[in-house]
Amino acid sequence: MKKLIAGGCSFTYEDWCSPGQVYNELKKASSFDDLELFNVGMGSNGNDLIKKSIVAQVEEELKTTRPEDIVVGVMWSGPDRWS
């Protein structure tokens, strides 16, 4: 794993949220020294915008990174939330 892509609403946005915590724990493992975190989460995101931002980031990273070196984590919002 070379790149960790995370997305969601405000619960994923800040460094202290789950993506930052997962990233920090993985960095402690010696085999993930070169791991990069791409957190595309934003406050007030609805599921459609969460999907679009994740897909856009994955497409961008696939230009330079093999698919097997990318891990994606998504925290979906409530189904009634609109972007």
Side-chain angles (χ1 to χ4, degrees):
M1 176 178 19
K2 303 280 184 204
K3 298 183 179 185
L4 173 60
I5 300 172
C9 61
S10 59
F11 290 106
T12 61
Y13 180 65
E14 299 291 335
D15 288 340
W16 54 267
C17 293
S18 58
Q21 292 179 15
V22 169
Y23 172 75
N24 289 333
E25 290 299 315
L26 288 172
K27 288 289 283 183
K28 290 179 185 177
S30 60
S31 60
F32 295 111
D33 286 338
D34 58 348
L35 179 66
E36 294 180 79
L37 171 62
F38 298 88
N39 189 345
V40 295
M42 289 188 291
S44 301
N45 266 358
N47 289 329
D48 56 334
L49 190 52
I50 291 170
K51 177 198 66 126
K52 288 176 184 177
S53 61
I54 288 284
V55 168
Q57 189 67 44
V58 168
E59 287 176 343
E60 184 64 28
E61 298 311 319
L62 285 173
K63 293 177 183 176
T64 59
T65 307
R66 298 178 312 158
E68 57 268 21
D69 289 332
I70 299 173
V71 172
V72 178
V74 181
M75 183 174 197
W76 297 109
S77 187
D80 57 342
R81 179 179 266 179
W82 297 91
S83 296

